[in-house]
């Protein structure tokens, strides 16, 4: 199973509420018709995230397929063309960052029914090659993050090796996904020693600050993630 992670901003002049409504009610059903689609989740940035200005993205889509062959078979399909044609109606297509990832389940816990999902966009330290970066993130940093007691579930989505072929550089080297009961629990985690140990490890493998979004999940197609 592979996962496409697409992050983007809303169309200029559109309110956040209108953007979220269109994405969920109009675009979601269109994308749900894609052939080979196994699971589809929309992550909508919480309205409270706009109190301090514009977040890095207004939303993140996670779309699962069996393999890269299933992705290639989308090209030219009428359902895929309909999805692409609809995108400019609600998003700023120029802002879209898309990566194809492999998921690693770090902490296997239930997704809280009315919880929140934190999404952090990860850039590797430039002196680390991709395998070393991914190994440290998964095997060293992962258990540190999983030890934070208020984290209910933790998944790392690692950008696939093909994105680096011929010297290419993907927009992100991966995303970290953590679920909490609510924003209060998320804020409380920052006071815990496990959280501080996790943050202290970040300079060992990531470059600079980690942009993040606090979101609500909307499951459009409920299928297997692993």
């Amino acid at each position: 199973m592979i996962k496409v992670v697409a992050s983007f901003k809303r169309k200029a002049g559109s309110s956040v509420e209108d953007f979220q409504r269109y994405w969920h009610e109009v675009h979601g059903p269109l994308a749900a018709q894609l052939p080979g689609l196994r699971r589809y989740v929309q992550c909508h940035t919480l309205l409270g995230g706009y109190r301090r200005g514009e977040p890095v993205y207004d939303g993140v889509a996670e779309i699962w397929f069996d393999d890269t062959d299933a992705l290639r078979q989308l090209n030219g399909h009428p359902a895929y063309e309909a999805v692409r044609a609809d995108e400019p109606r609600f998003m700023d297509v120029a802002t879209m960052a898309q990566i194809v990832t492999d998921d690693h389940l770090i902490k296997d816990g239930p997704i809280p029914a009315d919880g929140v999902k934190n999404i952090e966009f990860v850039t590797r330290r430039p002196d680390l090659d991709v395998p070393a970066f991914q190994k440290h993130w998964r095997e060293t940093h992962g258990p540190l993050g999983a030890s934070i007691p208020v984290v209910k579930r933790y998944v790392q989505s690692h950008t696939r090796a093909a994105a680096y072929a011929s010297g290419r550089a993907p927009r992100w080297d991966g995303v970290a996904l953590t679920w909490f009961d609510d924003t209060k629990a998320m804020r409380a985690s920052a006071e815990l020693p496990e959280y501080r140990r996790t943050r202290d490890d970040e300079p060992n493998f990531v470059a600079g600050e980690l942009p993040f979004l606090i979101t609500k999940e909307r499951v459009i197609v409920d299928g297997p993630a692993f």
Side-chain angles (χ1 to χ4, degrees), residues 138-186:
R138 184 178 61 250
E139 298 181 8
T140 301
H141 191 76
L144 289 172
S147 72
I148 301 172
V150 294
V151 171
K152 298 300 182 181
R153 185 175 179 84
Y154 177 18
V155 171
Q156 295 176 355
S157 301
H158 293 213
T159 300
R160 305 193 95 219
Y164 301 91
S166 303
R168 291 180 295 169
R171 178 64 186 88
W172 304 108
D173 295 295
V175 292
L177 313 169
T178 46
W179 287 258
F180 298 81
D181 283 330
D182 48 37
T183 54
K184 182 179 178 181
M186 188 177 171

Side-chain angles (χ1 to χ4, degrees), residues 198-211:
T198 302
R199 289 303 184 197
D200 286 346
D201 181 59
E202 287 174 358
N204 294 324
F205 72 108
V206 300
E209 297 293 324
L210 300 177

Side-chain angles (χ1 to χ4, degrees), residues 57-122:
Y57 297 116
D58 293 304
V60 176
E62 298 174 88
I63 309 173
W64 286 255
F65 293 88
D66 284 332
D67 50 35
T68 53
D69 283 340
L71 278 182
R72 284 191 285 268
Q73 290 172 18
L74 292 177
N75 291 329
H77 193 281
Y80 181 65
E81 296 302 321
V83 168
R84 295 299 305 272
D86 188 56
E87 289 173 349
R89 299 189 178 108
F90 73 103
M91 73 165 75
D92 181 353
V93 178
T95 67
M96 181 184 286
Q98 187 166 286
I99 53 176
V100 181
T101 70
D102 293 310
D103 274 355
H104 298 273
L105 180 60
I106 306 300
K107 186 172 186 176
D108 187 5
I111 296 174
D114 195 35
V116 297
K117 178 179 181 179
N118 187 58
I119 303 176
E120 293 185 325
F121 300 89
V122 182

Side-chain angles (χ1 to χ4, degrees), residues 41-44 62 111 117 179 215-219:
V41 173
Q42 294 180 352
C43 305
H44 292 239
E62 298 174 88
I111 296 174
K117 178 179 181 179
W179 287 258
T215 71
K216 280 282 191 178
E217 279 193 332
R218 294 188 176 183
V219 178

